[in-house]
Amino acid sequence: MGVRENFNVIQNTSGTIAAIGLEKIGKIAAGNLVTPAIWVLNTVTNNSTPNAIDIGIYASGFVSAPAAITVSTVKALSDDSINRKVTEIRLQHEAKYRPFILPVQNYGHNAPFFVAQDIAGNGGTVWQGQNHQWVYITDARGLLVPDFKPNNFRQAMQPNFPFERNRNNKFIFCSRTCRW
Amino acid sequence: MRQIPKLFILIILLSACSVEQNTDKAQHTDLSEFNQICIFFDELSEQTSITTLSGKEKNDFIMERLESLRPDGNAKLAWTVIRNFTPNEERYSMFKQGVESVIEQEWNCLSMEALAASSIDEAGGLLVDTQSEPLPSNVVLMKEAVWEGASEKNTSKQ
C-alpha cells in the first residue's frame, strides 16, 4: 500500500538511482541531474570526493540540477496525493465505472475548479469528492458522459437537461440545480 | 571537496524555496487578472448607457476586454466557462468560488456581483433535441456508454 501510494516519489527516486548505475558502468554520459547524486553517494559510501573532471562536467548544470530534482520531487508528491484521492472516490462507485473516473488534472492544466467547468461545458459530468479532489468520467472509449449520477460528492456539475448549447457550441451546465 | 554534499543539499533547499516562490508568483498573477476582470465590470457599470444595454452588449463589452489577458490564464478561462453556467443568478458566486480556490483568500467584486447575471447573450442558447440531433462526437449518454473492453483511459482535452 505504501509503495502504491507513493509510487511517483519512488519512481522519481529510483529513476535517479538507475541513472547513477548506468553512468557508473559507462552506458550514458554524465548528466547534470545525476552527477551531484553520485558525489553524495560516493562521499557517503566510499568516502571519495569528485575530481576536476567531475567538477568540469557538473559546472554547467550546477544550479539547474538541484532545481530539476526539487521540481520533479514536488510534482511526484502532488501526483501521489491526487492518485490517492481519486482512488478514494473510485471506491464509492460501481466497479465497472472505477477505471474511467479520472482527475480533472488529466484534462487541463488550469485550476481544477475551472477545468471542471470546462469539462461540464464540453458535455461531461464532473464532481468534487469529500476529499476535495475534482474528477470526471468517460466511458471506455474516452467519451464524456453528460448524465452520469455520481455518489457522495461535495459539489457536481453537468450539462443541464434538456441539453442546450450556447452560441459558442458549449453545453449550458448546472450544479446545485441539476437533477442529481 | 567534503563540503560538496552539504552545498548540494543547501541548493536543494534553496530550490524548494524557489518552487514555493514560483507558486506565490503564479497566484499573484492570477489575482491580478481576476482583479482586472473586476475592473472591466467597474467600467461596464460606469457606462452612461448601462440601463439600456442588452445582455449581449454587456457580454460583448467584457469579452472584448478579456482579450488583453493571458490566453491560457485562469482568469480568462474562468469568465469564458462561467458564461455557460445556469442559473445566471449563481454565476457570480461560482466565479467567486473559483477565484478563492486559486488565490486562497476571500475575493469580492461588487460590480460583477451586480452585473454578472445580466451580462449574457440571451440569443445564444440553442436547444439540442437528443432524439433527432446527435450529440457531439466526444459525448455519449449513459444508456449508450461502453464500460468494458478498455483499460484505464487517460483522455486529453478534445
Side-chain angles (χ1 to χ4, degrees), chain A residues 36 47 55 90 102 106 110-111 118 136 138-140 144 146-147 155 163 165-168 173 176, chain B residues 1-2 8 72 74 83-84 86 90 97-98 124 126 128 138 140 142 144 146-147 152-155 157:
Chain A
N47 204 28
I55 294 170
R90 283 174 173 166
L102 306 167
N106 281 23
N110 287 94
D118 193 24
Y136 68 109
T138 68
D139 80 343
L144 296 172
D147 54 348
Q155 190 173 5
F163 298 132
R165 276 189 282 167
N166 232 329
R167 187 171 291 181
N168 58 15
F173 66 92
R176 185 182 58 79
Chain B
M1 288 300 177
R2 291 186 181 283
F8 181 67
D72 57 349
N74 279 315
R83 288 188 307 147
N84 305 312
T86 188
E90 293 180 15
Q97 181 188 344
L126 300 167
V128 178
N138 64 322
V140 64
M142 279 293 284
E144 292 158 6
V146 176
W147 301 108
E152 186 165 333
K153 300 290 290 184
N154 278 322
T155 55
K157 193 169 184 175

Side-chain angles (χ1 to χ4, degrees), chain A residues 114 168, chain B residues 30 32-41 43-44 57-84 91 95 99 107 112 119:
Chain A
F114 300 130
N168 58 15
Chain B
D30 281 329
S32 171
E33 291 200 334
F34 289 131
N35 288 338
Q36 192 61 47
I37 294 182
C38 186
I39 291 170
F40 298 156
F41 274 94
E43 292 171 358
L44 176 61
E57 286 169 327
K58 284 188 264 189
N59 181 56
D60 289 347
F61 183 97
I62 299 299
M63 290 306 293
E64 283 169 16
R65 283 155 182 76
L66 277 187
E67 293 305 313
S68 64
L69 304 181
R70 289 175 304 152
D72 57 349
N74 279 315
K76 187 170 185 179
L77 176 64
W79 184 255
T80 304
V81 294
I82 206 68
R83 288 188 307 147
N84 305 312
R91 279 182 177 187
F95 188 91
V99 172
W107 185 87
M112 183 189 287
S119 300

Side-chain angles (χ1 to χ4, degrees), chain A residues 10-107:
Chain A
I10 292 167
Q11 189 180 50
N12 184 46
T13 309
S14 61
T16 303
I17 292 169
I20 292 169
L22 287 170
E23 184 178 0
K24 282 174 81 71
I25 60 173
K27 289 284 174 69
I28 59 170
N32 291 337
L33 192 78
V34 174
T35 308
I38 293 174
W39 292 351
V40 173
L41 195 63
N42 284 345
T43 302
V44 171
T45 57
N46 304 328
N47 204 28
S48 67
T49 52
N51 59 26
I53 295 173
D54 292 328
I55 294 170
I57 291 168
Y58 179 46
S60 63
F62 189 69
V63 174
S64 64
I69 291 171
T70 306
V71 169
S72 62
T73 302
V74 169
K75 169 79 166 51
L77 285 167
S78 171
D79 289 348
D80 285 331
S81 171
I82 290 169
N83 289 341
R84 265 195 302 273
K85 290 175 179 176
V86 171
T87 300
E88 288 172 8
I89 294 171
R90 283 174 173 166
L91 290 174
Q92 293 163 3
H93 294 83
E94 276 185 57
K96 67 176 179 178
Y97 300 137
R98 288 176 193 165
F100 310 109
I101 295 173
L102 306 167
V104 296
Q105 285 85 349
N106 281 23
Y107 195 88

Side-chain angles (χ1 to χ4, degrees), chain B residues 1-142:
Chain B
M1 288 300 177
R2 291 186 181 283
Q3 300 303 315
I4 292 223
K6 290 178 185 171
L7 187 59
F8 181 67
I9 291 166
L10 178 66
I11 294 173
I12 289 273
L13 291 173
L14 289 173
S15 299
C17 293
S18 174
V19 170
E20 180 73 19
Q21 280 179 342
N22 286 341
T23 305
D24 289 346
K25 188 179 174 186
Q27 268 185 338
H28 186 266
T29 305
D30 281 329
L31 175 59
S32 171
E33 291 200 334
F34 289 131
N35 288 338
Q36 192 61 47
I37 294 182
C38 186
I39 291 170
F40 298 156
F41 274 94
D42 289 344
E43 292 171 358
L44 176 61
S45 68
E46 289 161 5
Q47 294 287 301
T48 52
S49 57
I50 182 67
T51 53
T52 57
L53 286 178
S54 68
K56 182 179 184 309
E57 286 169 327
K58 284 188 264 189
N59 181 56
D60 289 347
F61 183 97
I62 299 299
M63 290 306 293
E64 283 169 16
R65 283 155 182 76
L66 277 187
E67 293 305 313
S68 64
L69 304 181
R70 289 175 304 152
D72 57 349
N74 279 315
K76 187 170 185 179
L77 176 64
W79 184 255
T80 304
V81 294
I82 206 68
R83 288 188 307 147
N84 305 312
F85 184 75
T86 188
N88 299 334
E89 294 71 26
E90 293 180 15
R91 279 182 177 187
Y92 173 71
S93 63
M94 290 291 280
F95 188 91
K96 175 180 159 70
Q97 181 188 344
V99 172
E100 291 176 350
S101 75
V102 173
I103 64 172
E104 297 175 333
Q105 56 181 289
E106 191 175 352
W107 185 87
N108 291 290
C109 177
L110 294 178
S111 55
M112 183 189 287
E113 186 172 15
L115 293 169
S118 63
S119 300
I120 57 164
D121 184 354
E122 303 95 333
L126 300 167
L127 276 174
V128 178
D129 182 354
T130 53
Q131 299 298 318
S132 61
E133 218 179 303
L135 287 167
S137 59
N138 64 322
V139 175
V140 64
L141 293 172
M142 279 293 284

